[in-house]
Amino acid sequence: MTDANRYVIDAPEIPAVPVRGGGRFPVRRIYCVGRNYAEHAREMGSDPDREPPFFFSKPADTVVSGGVVPYPPATGELHHEVELVIAIGKAGREIPADTALEYAYGYAVGVDLTRRDLQAAAKKKGRPWDMAKGFDRSAPLSKIVPAALIGHPADGAIRLSVNNDVKQSGDLRQMIWNTAEVIAELSRYVGLAAGDLIFSGTPSGVGPLQPGDTVRASVFGVADLEFVLTG
Ligand code: MN
């Protein structure tokens, strides 16, 4: 390598998620849909009209493959949000909804961990959500399951339990914007590329987690995820 191309510090590792059937999916960016289930919009005090979805993001290296997740600092109100996650397999921009599923390599179940107290304070002051949403290991994720194995899920139970108590129980059919529409809408704002993950929103029943809790999340027919919060 010529001197000009030499990294002056150790290059960070590319975050990656295991894939069912073998191999790893390298993560480029993580986007999240702000609210995509009417009941959850209501529980957060919003009107669930079919306004265009809005997006925020988490850093790519917030992804963690279950196991053990540390309770994050600077919060007294860590919340769970179970979500179907779309793994993008090829680049595109201004993608029409009727071809958008061609861009989905596969799917996973993820938990959009949220420092709800920081989010509420940010909302009140009109400030960004980054510190509420994008903290270290805030994106626990199952294996990614290729669409080649399971197709493109449009319905099926989406659930999350804490210590075996079911806290969130919905169905993918309740998404205000379906998978294809989410991909199409996001691609109006940013170029999507292979390696992008899109958390597609959470059903109602979000709530607090405590150190020591065991969290199990699933999307029927897609994947399961389990992690334990440590203190
Ligand atoms: Mn979410």
Side-chain angles (χ1 to χ4, degrees):
M1 202 182 297
T2 64
D3 192 62
N5 287 336
R6 180 178 55 85
Y7 289 126
V8 298
I9 56 170
D10 290 341
E13 261 180 54
I14 295 173
V17 182
V19 174
R20 190 200 290 172
R24 293 191 303 155
F25 181 92
V27 180
R28 188 186 80 121
R29 295 178 179 172
I30 302 176
Y31 294 103
C32 306
V33 180
R35 72 179 69 93
N36 202 18
Y37 290 76
E39 279 301 313
H40 173 62
R42 280 188 210 101
E43 77 181 350
M44 297 304 289
S46 300
D47 185 348
D49 280 350
R50 199 175 141 95
E51 288 175 10
F54 70 93
F55 300 95
F56 59 91
S57 57
K58 293 179 188 258
D61 69 352
T62 59
V63 77
V64 55
S65 294
V68 166
V69 175
Y71 194 95
T75 185
E77 195 182 17
L78 179 70
H79 271 206
H80 54 78
E81 300 187 356
V82 61
E83 311 201 3
L84 174 73
V85 178
I86 308 157
I88 297 295
K90 67 173 181 174
R93 55 183 70 241
E94 297 182 10
I95 299 166
D98 59 6
T99 60
L101 293 182
E102 297 170 13
Y103 294 79
Y105 167 83
Y107 298 89
V109 59
V111 178
D112 168 15
L113 288 175
T114 301
R115 296 196 276 211
R116 193 71 75 202
D117 45 359
L118 298 194
Q119 185 193 32
K123 281 181 176 176
K124 202 174 288 180
K125 295 191 171 179
R127 288 180 177 167
W129 290 5
D130 302 52
M131 293 301 108
K133 291 289 197 177
F135 51 91
D136 297 340
R137 287 169 282 193
S138 56
L141 197 71
S142 72
K143 281 187 179 179
I144 288 170
V145 184
L149 295 181
I150 57 162
H152 299 278
D155 55 34
I158 177 167
R159 288 161 70 93
L160 181 141
S161 69
V162 181
N163 305 328
N164 293 322
D165 289 338
V166 176
K167 300 292 190 186
Q168 296 188 263
S169 181
D171 193 286
L172 298 182
R173 272 174 302 194
Q174 297 163 334
M175 289 169 69
I176 298 169
W177 297 86
N178 67 29
T179 299
E181 292 168 333
V182 165
I183 294 169
E185 184 69 13
L186 179 56
S187 77
R188 294 179 56 229
Y189 295 93
V190 289
L192 296 179
D196 291 347
L197 298 176
I198 308 171
F199 281 63
S200 64
T202 194
S204 61
V206 301
L209 293 170
Q210 308 299 336
D213 282 348
T214 297
V215 178
R216 291 189 183 88
S218 63
V219 175
F220 183 78
V222 177
D224 302 295
L225 166 68
E226 179 175 325
F227 63 88
V228 176
L229 273 180
T230 56

